[in-house]
Amino acid sequence: MARYNFKRIPDHVGVIPDGNRRWAQKHGMEKEEGYSYGIEPGFRLYELCIELGISELTLYGFTQDNTKRPTVQRKAFQKACVDAVEILAGKDADLLVVGNTQSNMFPKELLPYTGERVRFGKGLIKVNFLVNYSWQWDLHQALSAVSSGNKNVTDLIGSSLISRVDLMVRWGGRRRLSGFLPVQSIYSDFYIVEALWPDFKEEHLLEALGWYQEQDITLGG
Amino acid sequence: MARYNFKRIPDHVGVIPDGNRRWAQKHGMEKEEGYSYGIEPGFRLYELCIELGISELTLYGFTQDNTKRPTVQRKAFQKACVDAVEILAGKDADLLVVGNTQSNMFPKELLPYTGERVRFGKGLIKVNFLVNYSWQWDLHQALSAVSSGNKNVTDLIGSSLISRVDLMVRWGGRRRLSGFLPVQSIYSDFYIVEALWPDFKEEHLLEALGWYQEQDITLGG
């Protein structure tokens, strides 16, 4: 912590690691080759978040909308998600994978991490990984659970184990949520990094945090 | 139209007219005095949207969270919403007011505009006005309607008559959605204007549109 001095750190950071395909094309590769270059940056981000004392990190793996892309791309991002979790299993995190497990687009290797959190090592940070996620699926879980009475919608959605997101950081220049946890990101502060995700630098997150600590958090009050 | 030449115009623009209180303080007034200065800019925006051929405009009036503010502020923004609708009634729009009408925070004067659209004059543009709105209320409408079968969540929410938002423009520098139509803003492109809302200039929207037309719209595909 001595390396950094922020006056306020978000509890929960959401990440949209976008730009893998554009990065691959920029480097003369096929689009689908970009995804594997997105894994190592994710672990640098993970290490930095632990060092900073961030307690929860949610990463966009892929969405049900994304699975409409060409098969070669779909297989590449599915594999990148499985590979990332295999590496994480050797580290220190409490992992929860959230997404539609009922579809054959969901990688079976990740089923053990759905439903409840699984501890790896010392469990130094909560990591939520959105895999075959869709906001429609998320909200429909609430609709199908509603018979249980007059509960709060946040307790009924598919991603109910994931807390409110304080800071959303999106790499790759696009300024949109793309369906990332619509309920939890209601009051998220939104920071855009122009760089493509495989070009991740620690400075990107540090700049986002420097901006975040100056924001006036009112939650509408 | 001759004055402007955009290669792509959003069908539906969402607007978060933030910064009225900060503007009032900057000008030596009490915070609550800012809201009345937010009405005239809204009508300049409305006229510009019609000229540009934008077909639907959604404006944030106030949220249920906002009603927790001091009473003098709450009364001021409630009055500003009623005043704005009275002025709009003399113009050309199809108005829909969306929000929780069951609460006494909802201004009774606006009840005639809830439930279905009301045409004013030639109805040149759809105007949606979020009044005593809350995303929890919106989603809970879906939960309470779910008994009707396996419908899509977008058909069941409280704001189901409001279409997908293509471009979200927020004045006042904050970079967050603050609960603005979470379902419809899933894929919205998000543009922030640093100026406070009462300092609205036509150029702000034109710059947002100039940026929007360059965005790559994929809807996750």
Side-chain angles (χ1 to χ4, degrees):
Chain A
M1 272 300 227
R3 280 170 65 196
Y4 307 109
N5 183 22
F6 290 103
K7 62 184 178 188
R8 193 182 63 211
I9 284 277
D11 288 325
H12 184 177
V13 176
V15 170
I16 303 182
D18 197 19
N20 296 291
R21 292 185 295 174
R22 284 173 279 161
W23 186 91
Q25 289 190 295
K26 230 176 87 178
H27 289 77
M29 301 176 198
E30 298 297 321
K31 283 182 178 180
E32 65 273 14
E33 294 181 81
Y35 296 113
S36 66
Y37 289 87
I39 297 176
E40 190 266 347
F43 284 98
R44 281 193 285 143
L45 177 73
Y46 155 88
E47 301 286 352
L48 182 58
C49 286
I50 291 175
E51 185 179 3
L52 288 161
I54 290 166
S55 58
E56 188 165 356
L57 177 64
T58 299
L59 291 127
Y60 231 168
F62 65 90
T63 67
Q64 295 197 260
D65 284 345
N66 296 155
T67 63
K68 296 172 202 151
R69 293 177 184 171
T71 308
V72 63
Q73 288 182 29
R74 172 176 58 77
K75 289 188 173 169
F77 62 63
Q78 286 169 322
K79 180 176 188 305
C81 289
V82 173
D83 289 350
V85 168
E86 283 180 6
I87 297 169
L88 189 68
K91 299 192 180 279
D92 300 290
D94 285 341
L95 174 66
L96 181 70
V97 174
V98 173
N100 185 351
T101 59
Q102 305 295 306
S103 134
N104 58 12
M105 293 296 162
F106 187 91
K108 286 186 183 53
E109 298 90 331
L110 302 183
L111 283 172
Y113 312 106
T114 60
E116 61 181 349
R117 253 174 231 290
V118 175
R119 174 153 294 186
F120 296 139
K122 298 184 212 130
L124 296 178
I125 186 170
K126 286 185 195 168
V127 173
N128 309 312
F129 199 25
L130 305 183
V131 173
N132 202 40
Y133 176 85
S134 99
W135 63 270
Q136 294 100 329
W137 165 82
D138 202 352
L139 298 181
H140 272 294
Q141 300 308 298
L143 299 188
S144 57
V146 75
S147 59
S148 54
N150 195 20
K151 280 195 185 167
N152 196 294
V153 66
T154 53
D155 300 326
L156 294 171
I157 55 177
S159 60
S160 61
L161 294 175
I162 301 181
S163 70
R164 185 164 64 76
V165 176
D166 301 296
L167 171 65
M168 278 289 312
V169 188
R170 181 169 187 145
W171 274 259
R174 308 272 190 253
R175 305 193 205 167
R176 51 183 86 131
L177 269 176
S178 301
F180 187 108
L181 298 176
V183 166
Q184 291 90 335
S185 59
I186 289 293
Y187 281 117
S188 298
D189 284 295
F190 211 82
Y191 190 87
I192 305 298
V193 178
E194 291 300 322
L196 305 175
W197 171 250
D199 289 328
F200 168 83
K201 289 187 177 59
E202 294 198 335
E203 288 68 36
H204 299 153
L205 180 65
L206 299 174
E207 284 161 16
L209 293 173
W211 171 80
Y212 174 79
Q213 69 178 348
E214 303 302 333
Q215 300 309 302
D216 183 28
I217 312 293
T218 65
L219 304 181
Chain B
M1 273 297 226
R3 279 168 66 196
Y4 307 109
N5 183 23
F6 290 103
K7 62 184 176 186
R8 194 184 61 213
I9 285 278
D11 288 325
H12 184 178
V13 176
V15 170
I16 302 181
D18 197 19
N20 296 289
R21 293 184 294 173
R22 284 173 279 162
W23 185 91
Q25 288 190 295
K26 230 176 88 178
H27 289 78
M29 302 178 197
E30 298 297 322
K31 282 182 179 180
E32 65 273 14
E33 295 181 82
Y35 296 113
S36 66
Y37 290 86
I39 297 177
E40 189 265 346
F43 284 99
R44 282 193 284 141
L45 177 73
Y46 155 88
E47 301 286 353
L48 182 58
C49 286
I50 290 175
E51 185 179 1
L52 288 162
I54 289 165
S55 58
E56 188 165 357
L57 178 64
T58 299
L59 291 126
Y60 231 167
F62 65 90
T63 67
Q64 294 196 260
D65 284 344
N66 295 156
T67 63
K68 296 171 202 154
R69 294 177 184 171
T71 308
V72 63
Q73 288 182 27
R74 172 175 58 78
K75 288 187 172 168
F77 61 65
Q78 286 169 323
K79 180 176 188 308
C81 289
V82 174
D83 290 350
V85 169
E86 282 179 6
I87 297 168
L88 189 66
K91 299 194 178 278
D92 301 290
D94 285 340
L95 175 66
L96 181 71
V97 174
V98 173
N100 185 352
T101 59
Q102 304 295 305
S103 137
N104 58 12
M105 294 295 161
F106 187 92
K108 287 186 181 53
E109 298 90 330
L110 301 185
L111 284 173
Y113 312 107
T114 60
E116 60 180 351
R117 253 172 229 292
V118 175
R119 173 154 295 187
F120 295 140
K122 297 183 213 129
L124 296 179
I125 186 171
K126 285 184 196 169
V127 173
N128 309 312
F129 200 24
L130 305 183
V131 173
N132 201 39
Y133 175 85
S134 100
W135 63 269
Q136 294 99 328
W137 164 82
D138 202 352
L139 298 182
H140 273 294
Q141 300 308 299
L143 299 188
S144 58
V146 75
S147 58
S148 53
N150 194 19
K151 278 194 187 169
N152 196 295
V153 66
T154 53
D155 300 326
L156 294 171
I157 54 177
S159 60
S160 62
L161 294 175
I162 301 182
S163 69
R164 183 165 64 76
V165 177
D166 301 295
L167 171 65
M168 277 289 311
V169 188
R170 180 168 187 145
W171 273 259
R174 308 271 192 252
R175 305 194 208 167
R176 51 184 85 133
L177 268 177
S178 300
F180 187 106
L181 298 176
V183 166
Q184 291 90 336
S185 59
I186 289 291
Y187 281 117
S188 297
D189 283 296
F190 212 81
Y191 190 88
I192 305 298
V193 178
E194 291 300 321
L196 305 174
W197 172 250
D199 290 328
F200 168 84
K201 290 187 176 60
E202 294 197 338
E203 288 68 37
H204 299 153
L205 181 65
L206 298 174
E207 283 160 17
L209 293 174
W211 171 80
Y212 174 78
Q213 69 178 349
E214 304 301 334
Q215 299 310 301
D216 183 29
I217 312 291
T218 64
L219 305 181

